[in-house]
Amino acid sequence: MRRTITSAALVATLLLIGPVPAVASPAPAADPARGAVAPAERKLPLTARLIGRQALPANDGWAAAGPGTTGGSTAADDQVHVVRTRAELVQALGGDNATNRTNDTPKLIYVDGTIDGFEGADGALLSCADLADPGYTLEAYLAAYDPAVWGRVAPSGPVEAARVRSVTNQTRHTQINVGPNTTIVGLRGATLTGLTLMIDSADNVIVRNVTFDDARDCFPAWSPTDGESGNWNSQYDQVSVRRSENVWVDHNTFTDGDNPDSAQPVHFGRPYQVHDGSLDVTHTASLVTASFNRFVGRDKLMLIGSSNTVGPDVGRLNVTLHHNVFDGVLQRLPRVRFGQVDIYNNYYRLSGEGFEYAIGVGVQSAVYAQNNYFTLGSGITAADLLYDWSGTAITTRGNWVHEAGRLPRGVDLVAAYNAQHDPDLSPDAGWTPTLRTGPVLPAPLVPLTVQALAGANRLPL
């Protein structure tokens, strides 16, 4: 029996991989297949050069819509870089972090080793204290806005103003701005830590084979009216996609490393949360494909749409999630507003007391969830996988659930949710995805197949 399962998974993997995806045709001087490559590429393996020049395959999710996603695959010789420091990364993206988001020159950037967003100009690491405004300390903030003294109203006054200035200081340094027509590829072991990769008003971007680690906020805000008891909220995602189209995020790993929110102290009776999302798609962004990524041990993961306000987001926020691993993560897997979001062949391994939900059905969202596999820890059932954030409908087909102590089985996620919650969700989101490449695997084949392929350092770099 074991041999049969293994053989089936192998066949599924080969079908899933299929032919090598098309590689964009760069300028003749930069064609790695002929050996005439940019100087920065000459010492790289041929596979790295090919992957760097690769465009998103046709029909591979929403990012294949319109002109498709080619990133920096056509970068000229002088726009190919291997970077090892924060300063080199900023230089490769255009030279000035404040204006790099408008640099639309095609560029291909290979990340070698670990780059820390807290690196100073001299290469030494800055601390939170180095970025803090002189008027801010956490001790002063806690003393000023203790609900027992301040009450349940939003912080204001000199200490809060100093915190905001501190956030501005950190944003200037740890938020790395990416411009249009860019490909960022990590070489084996590449890590971006302590930073946010900001893709804002930047169409046609590819990010692959990078481990994103600990995009921490030095200056979280206390929000006393967020929930019944208030919450600490952080500023920084690991990758943030805003006002952009045709973005492909592939074969990356997202983690908090050795600094998880679960290890943070409690202030004002609430966990002091220093992290925000892994991959957020907001502010009218659209046409995004996230494939073969691994999300490990995080709380808030993926927000698609940041406001319930009916307006510019309508008709936007179209995202495809396929063949990703969600491992030990707690919520927003994803949480969706407005967009048509295709979620298929993902593997969810969910457990822990802090688990809240997997897929959030938000305002005017249209989620299509097909052939995903959920392995659930003790105390989590199929009825807990969806959450109603003022949405009305979600299509779920072919999904399997393996609850603790029970055999795996196919489950109608909407029916399971409706059996225990009111009001009911409709089982028809009103659309059927067409932008898919390769076969959709039966859900029972997803865990073994996707775990073998998803995450950083799985591509042949």
Side-chain angles (χ1 to χ4, degrees), residues 247-452:
V247 176
W248 183 27
V249 181
D250 176 71
H251 277 96
N252 303 290
T253 295
F254 297 83
T255 174
D256 291 334
D258 59 1
N259 187 37
D261 280 331
S262 60
Q264 302 303 320
V266 173
H267 295 305
F268 304 159
R270 300 296 296 160
Y272 187 67
Q273 197 165 54
V274 300
H275 302 107
D276 199 15
S278 289
L279 171 59
D280 282 8
V281 181
T282 60
H283 297 79
T284 73
S286 199
L287 308 185
V288 176
T289 296
S291 54
F292 295 98
N293 300 291
R294 185 176 294 265
F295 302 88
V296 183
R298 303 204 74 244
D299 183 358
K300 299 174 183 176
L301 210 73
M302 187 180 302
L303 188 64
I304 300 176
S306 55
S307 170
N308 286 349
T309 302
V310 176
D313 282 334
V314 175
R316 310 285 299 172
L317 302 171
N318 295 331
V319 178
T320 298
L321 307 177
H322 70 81
H323 302 98
N324 301 287
V325 173
F326 300 95
D327 189 1
V329 289
L330 304 181
Q331 60 177 314
R332 301 183 180 179
L333 320 177
R335 176 179 174 178
V336 182
R337 296 175 171 97
F338 299 107
Q340 291 184 338
V341 176
D342 186 14
I343 305 172
Y344 75 93
N345 278 169
N346 300 284
Y347 178 43
Y348 293 80
R349 187 161 57 191
L350 309 174
S351 62
E353 293 182 2
F355 173 77
E356 295 194 26
Y357 64 93
I359 301 172
V361 184
V363 174
Q364 294 187 23
S365 63
V367 173
Y368 196 104
Q370 182 178 9
N371 291 26
N372 302 287
Y373 193 101
F374 299 83
T375 296
L376 306 182
S378 178
I380 304 174
T381 71
D384 302 319
L385 296 177
L386 306 182
Y387 193 92
D388 183 359
W389 288 105
S390 302
T392 59
I394 174 173
T395 300
T396 63
R397 294 181 177 176
N399 300 288
W400 275 51
V401 175
H402 186 186
E403 296 176 356
R406 300 187 64 178
L407 292 174
R409 69 196 196 282
V411 173
D412 182 334
L413 298 184
V414 175
Y417 174 87
N418 288 345
Q420 295 192 23
H421 301 87
D422 289 315
D424 284 358
L425 292 170
S426 165
D428 184 3
W431 73 295
T432 301
T434 58
L435 289 168
R436 291 177 175 175
T437 183
V440 177
L441 295 177
L445 295 180
V446 166
L448 184 60
T449 304
V450 176
Q451 284 198 97

Side-chain angles (χ1 to χ4, degrees), residues 45 75 91 96 119 168 213 218 280 297 330 348 357 403:
Q91 184 64 37
D96 184 350
E119 287 178 9
T168 299
D213 173 69
C218 290
D280 282 8
L330 304 181
Y348 293 80
Y357 64 93
E403 296 176 356

Side-chain angles (χ1 to χ4, degrees), residues 143-303:
Y145 304 115
D146 186 336
V149 177
W150 181 259
R152 294 279 177 187
V153 294
S156 62
V159 181
E160 169 63 7
R163 187 197 67 81
V164 172
R165 291 193 296 272
S166 301
V167 170
T168 299
N169 293 340
Q170 180 176 350
T171 300
R172 288 181 182 138
H173 200 84
T174 66
Q175 178 177 294
I176 305 300
N177 297 313
V178 178
N181 308 318
T182 300
T183 291
I184 298 175
V185 174
L187 300 177
R188 183 157 295 276
T191 299
L192 296 179
T193 185
L195 60 79
T196 295
L197 211 59
M198 178 60 71
I199 304 168
D200 189 350
S201 305
D203 295 347
N204 193 32
V205 173
I206 297 172
V207 181
R208 306 183 75 189
N209 201 54
V210 175
T211 294
F212 290 91
D213 173 69
D214 191 18
R216 60 195 176 277
D217 189 342
C218 290
F219 315 105
W222 171 242
S223 302
T225 59
D226 182 0
E228 294 181 0
S229 304
N231 276 303
W232 291 94
N233 287 303
S234 298
Q235 175 82 9
Y236 304 105
D237 304 320
Q238 293 174 309
V239 176
S240 182
V241 182
R242 304 179 179 183
R243 290 173 284 262
S244 303
E245 290 187 346
N246 297 105
V247 176
W248 183 27
V249 181
D250 176 71
H251 277 96
N252 303 290
T253 295
F254 297 83
T255 174
D256 291 334
D258 59 1
N259 187 37
D261 280 331
S262 60
Q264 302 303 320
V266 173
H267 295 305
F268 304 159
R270 300 296 296 160
Y272 187 67
Q273 197 165 54
V274 300
H275 302 107
D276 199 15
S278 289
L279 171 59
D280 282 8
V281 181
T282 60
H283 297 79
T284 73
S286 199
L287 308 185
V288 176
T289 296
S291 54
F292 295 98
N293 300 291
R294 185 176 294 265
F295 302 88
V296 183
R298 303 204 74 244
D299 183 358
K300 299 174 183 176
L301 210 73
M302 187 180 302
L303 188 64

